[in-house]
Structures are given as structure tokens and as C-alpha cells.
Amino acid sequence: MSFTEGIRINNKHSYGDFGLYLKSRNIGLPEKKSIRQTVPFMSGYYDFSALNGAPAWNERIIEYAFDVTNESPVELDYFVSYVLDWLGNIHDVDIFDDTTYGYHWHGSYDEASVSWDDSGLQAEIKVSFVVHPFKIANEPTQYQMTAGTYTITNLGMAVAPIVKSTASAAIQIGNYVSSIPANEEIRLEADLERGDNTVLVTGSGTVTFSYYAEVL
């Protein structure tokens, strides 16, 4: 881990813009929501966690610690406040970690703490964010489709695709059917499930079908 690595949020980088030295990172794992029921005289339980097609997950916590120094305790205190103002106002935005190549997090500031050494010239800032349970791809997976039947393999979590057509068209995923107005980008109200998905396109337009993969 390089001390110049860090996080980029709202077009500001922890090292490039603030000179913060990365001391540690802790990327937590989300907890799967478990819905189980049992009945009298039954051994074990029924697991309804994936009743809607896939399990749901709770949020994830990611944490970072940075070292900061200054030649004056007063100036260091001012700088720490400046950094905390940046971190504390992060809300519902993309969070880019230099080591998470090709993916980012999305979430909000959770909490922070500051510890000082005896001299008052060095401090450690710890910050945590509560984020979406999955890493989100920086670039979309994209397909160009004309009328026909396609198999789309989604290797990540279930995600709603975005479509746009050059002319009026319709698209079907499973039992879900949606019309697509010409030159209007819409997010479908059906998820692209994990694994193979059959997608049927009708109409005369060329449909741009895209989604941002989400993975653990």
C-alpha cells in the first residue's frame, strides 16, 4: 500500500488535494438479510431470503485512516477542521478508492475521529462511510440490439438496465415488457438477474442496452 494512495470524492483527492498520507483502509463486507421461519415440530427452517429472486443485503461500512502533520499546532488544528469539512459533507455520492480498479462505492459520510500526539504537530484522522453493499463498475457493459432475441449474461448482482432506442421499440425480459420511446433514455423496471437473461427486442430502432455491473 502506497501512502500516496487514497480516495477521490467530489473531484477532490485525499493526497492530491489535501496531502493526506494513507495509513490504513478497512473495507467491510455487507451482511445478507436472512428471512427464516420455522413451524412447531419441524426440524430446521424455511429460508425465504431469496423469495423475490435474489437475497437482499444490508449496507457496507468502509473505513480509512490518514496521518497529517504540521509545524504549528494551531495550523494543524485549522487543517484538520478543513479536512473534516470535506469529509463530513459527503452525502449520497460516488467514492473512488485508488486500489478498487474499475469500480467505485456509492454512499455517505458515517463518522470520524481525530487523535493527536503529545506535541500537537501530528494527528490521525479516521473516517468511515456507509455505502451501497456492492462495488459499482465505473463503465457500463453495453450492447447494441436490433429486433431479435439475445442472451445477456450478468456475472454480478441483479441490476436494472438502461435502454435507449433510435426509433420506437419494445423490450422484454422474462415476463416484463416495456415500450421504448425514440431517443429517450429510460431505466427498466425489471432487473437483469444474475446469470443468463433472455432479452427480446421488437421494433425498427437500434436499441442501446447497458448496465453498470455490481459485484461483492
Side-chain angles (χ1 to χ4, degrees):
M1 181 178 67
S2 170
F3 65 84
T4 61
E5 292 175 350
I7 52 177
R8 180 178 299 279
I9 311 171
N10 291 333
N11 295 319
K12 291 185 177 180
H13 189 269
S14 56
Y15 179 77
D17 292 279
F18 293 92
L20 299 175
Y21 297 104
L22 180 63
K23 184 176 182 179
S24 66
R25 61 163 56 82
N26 180 28
I27 307 300
L29 289 172
E31 179 182 352
K32 187 179 75 171
K33 295 181 178 180
S34 183
I35 304 171
R36 300 191 299 268
Q37 294 290 336
T38 188
V39 295
F41 312 111
M42 174 188 178
S43 297
Y45 57 87
Y46 296 109
D47 192 339
F48 300 109
S49 303
L51 192 62
N52 288 333
W57 298 75
N58 286 312
E59 70 274 8
R60 183 193 297 248
I61 301 295
I62 59 175
E63 302 170 316
Y64 299 89
F66 301 98
D67 280 332
V68 291
T69 59
N70 204 294
E71 296 180 355
S72 162
V74 173
E75 292 182 1
L76 180 58
D77 181 72
Y78 176 83
F79 179 70
V80 167
S81 296
Y82 178 56
V83 172
L84 292 176
D85 183 71
W86 169 54
L87 297 172
N89 286 287
I90 290 166
H91 180 75
D92 197 27
V93 296
D94 291 339
I95 301 171
F96 296 89
D97 184 322
D98 292 342
T99 64
T100 310
Y101 181 76
Y103 291 86
H104 63 272
W105 310 105
H106 187 93
S108 303
Y109 167 85
D110 184 36
E111 61 181 8
S113 64
V114 182
S115 57
W116 308 79
D117 72 351
D118 292 337
S119 70
L121 301 178
Q122 183 173 344
E124 179 187 80
I125 300 174
K126 292 182 178 180
V127 61
S128 64
F129 303 97
V130 57
V131 298
H132 184 65
F134 312 124
K135 292 184 289 188
I136 304 168
N138 294 339
E139 300 295 333
T141 300
Q142 196 168 84
Y143 301 89
Q144 299 293 322
M145 301 175 172
T146 54
T149 301
Y150 301 83
T151 298
I152 303 298
T153 302
N154 175 20
L155 299 179
M157 300 299 178
V159 63
I162 301 167
V163 294
K164 185 176 182 179
S165 180
T166 58
S168 295
I171 194 165
Q172 179 175 351
I173 303 176
N175 295 324
Y176 171 81
V177 180
S178 176
S179 59
I180 309 171
N183 301 312
E184 182 178 335
E185 186 175 88
I186 63 171
R187 183 180 295 274
L188 300 181
E189 296 180 3
D191 282 341
L192 196 66
E193 299 295 338
R194 186 179 182 89
D196 291 339
N197 296 260
T198 300
V199 179
L200 174 64
V201 176
T202 57
S204 58
T206 298
V207 175
T208 301
F209 182 100
S210 62
Y211 64 94
Y212 288 86
E214 297 185 6
V215 299
L216 274 175

